[in-house]
Amino acid sequence: MADKNRRGEDAADDHLDDEALDDAAEKDSDVDDEEEPVSRGGTATRARPKAESADSKSKARTEGGRVGIFGRIVRFVREVVAELRKVIWPTRKELLTYTAVVVVFVSVMLAIVAGLDFAFAKGVLWVFGNPS
């Protein structure tokens, strides 16, 4: 019984959300008609164009329907370049700061491990004695 009431409330909430979205869509004049619908709790986004068209796929394919070795290499290089363009490269100051942090952290960890190694070595020699 509670589930039926809950479902009824959700349906009413969805109806109210739909009305609010319709009103907001009418107010926004620069929104495309091809926009994806908004799900509950989400945000509206514009549809992204596909990365590759059918024409570019057919150019990379050979007669047998398989991509050749050179086609795969060229595609790999293009994808690497595309990914490197997306990278947010650090400034010189950030790079020096990050490098200093890493060097200090590694030095501290090195000192801790060296200290523990020395302590355990002395402890083993104390427990088992010096063979000489």
Side-chain angles (χ1 to χ4, degrees):
M1 182 85 173
D3 290 335
K4 290 181 182 178
N5 289 339
R6 188 172 296 150
R7 288 184 194 141
E9 291 172 4
D10 286 343
D13 290 341
D14 288 341
H15 181 67
L16 292 175
D17 290 341
D18 291 341
E19 287 179 1
L21 290 174
D22 290 341
D23 292 341
E26 289 174 3
K27 290 178 185 177
D28 192 8
S29 61
D30 60 356
V31 176
D32 293 339
D33 291 335
E34 297 175 3
E35 193 171 320
E36 295 177 8
V38 177
S39 62
R40 185 176 181 113
T43 59
T45 58
R46 295 178 191 249
R48 294 183 180 170
K50 293 187 179 181
E52 293 183 18
S53 65
D55 295 337
S56 64
K57 287 182 183 178
S58 63
K59 289 178 185 176
R61 300 229 177 234
T62 59
E63 296 142 5
R66 296 185 60 165
V67 178
I69 185 77
F70 294 112
R72 288 185 289 191
I73 292 171
V74 169
R75 180 178 174 196
F76 173 76
V77 171
R78 284 183 183 166
E79 289 179 4
V80 167
V81 170
E83 288 299 320
L84 287 175
R85 285 186 181 146
K86 295 177 188 176
V87 173
I88 299 174
W89 297 98
T91 62
R92 185 173 196 83
K93 183 179 178 182
E94 290 173 337
L95 184 65
L96 292 174
T97 302
Y98 297 154
T99 304
V101 167
V102 169
V103 168
V104 168
F105 177 76
V106 169
S107 301
V108 168
M109 294 306 293
L110 178 77
I112 291 171
V113 170
L116 288 173
D117 181 49
F118 181 76
F120 283 125
K122 288 293 183 183
V124 167
L125 288 176
W126 179 75
V127 169
F128 294 112
N130 200 355
S132 51

